[in-house]
């Protein structure tokens, strides 16, 4: 089982990034997918979640209106479009898959928001 994140990097405040997560080794379409983040020195927190058929999406209040989660079951991929980035969005972003008692984590992708 693998979840591989990509798309992180350095961006200026107000900028945009798109994170991608490619899954392998399990039946992707059967899993709800989420993005979490862990800022430096803080707990990991849920950023956004999407249901198996993408009919339900939930967001943390801090990112509503700026971030969009999406998925492509044909490509075993989930995405996080991040717009209007703020310094407080700086964190390691993790991809997460869950179905019943099964859950998997990616290794994370660093997002740095700085001038």
């Amino acid at each position: 089982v693998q979840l591989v994140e990509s798309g992180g990097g350095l961006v200026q405040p107000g900028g945009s990034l798109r994170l991608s997560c490619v899954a392998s080794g399990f039946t992707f379409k059967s899993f709800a997918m989420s993005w979490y983040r862990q800022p430096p020195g803080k707990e990991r927190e849920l950023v956004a979640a999407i249901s198996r058929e993408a009919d339900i999406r939930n967001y943390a209040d801090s990112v509503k209106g700026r971030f969009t989660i999406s998925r492509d079951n044909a490509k075993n991929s989930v995405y996080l479009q991040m717009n209007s980035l703020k310094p407080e969005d700086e964190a390691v972003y993790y991809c997460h898959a869950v179905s019943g008692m099964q859950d998997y984590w990616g290794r994370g992708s660093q997002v740095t928001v700085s001038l």
Side-chain angles (χ1 to χ4, degrees):
V1 171
Q2 274 195 314
L3 292 171
V4 180
E5 300 98 337
S6 62
L10 173 64
V11 63
Q12 293 185 355
S16 297
L17 283 175
R18 187 189 193 218
L19 300 181
S20 299
C21 171
V22 180
S24 60
F26 63 97
T27 306
F28 180 77
K29 63 182 181 180
S30 297
F31 282 68
M33 299 298 298
S34 303
W35 287 96
Y36 283 74
R37 68 185 181 187
Q38 187 164 17
K42 296 186 178 180
E43 301 275 321
R44 192 174 296 190
E45 60 182 9
L46 177 65
V47 176
I50 188 167
S51 60
R52 292 174 293 177
E53 298 297 326
D55 52 339
I56 301 172
R57 308 181 197 206
N58 292 305
Y59 298 93
D61 287 344
S62 58
V63 307
K64 281 181 182 176
R66 300 188 297 121
F67 290 14
T68 302
I69 188 171
S70 60
R71 66 188 295 163
D72 185 338
N73 287 346
K75 295 183 178 180
N76 287 358
S77 296
V78 62
Y79 310 98
L80 186 67
Q81 178 66 44
M82 305 185 292
N83 299 328
S84 303
L85 282 159
K86 304 175 181 180
E88 52 263 44
D89 295 318
E90 181 166 311
V92 178
Y93 283 72
Y94 296 90
C95 179
H96 179 246
V98 63
S99 178
M101 297 297 290
Q102 296 176 287
D103 78 300
Y104 308 120
W105 290 91
R107 293 191 174 187
S109 180
Q110 175 70 46
V111 172
T112 302
V113 184
S114 179
L115 291 172

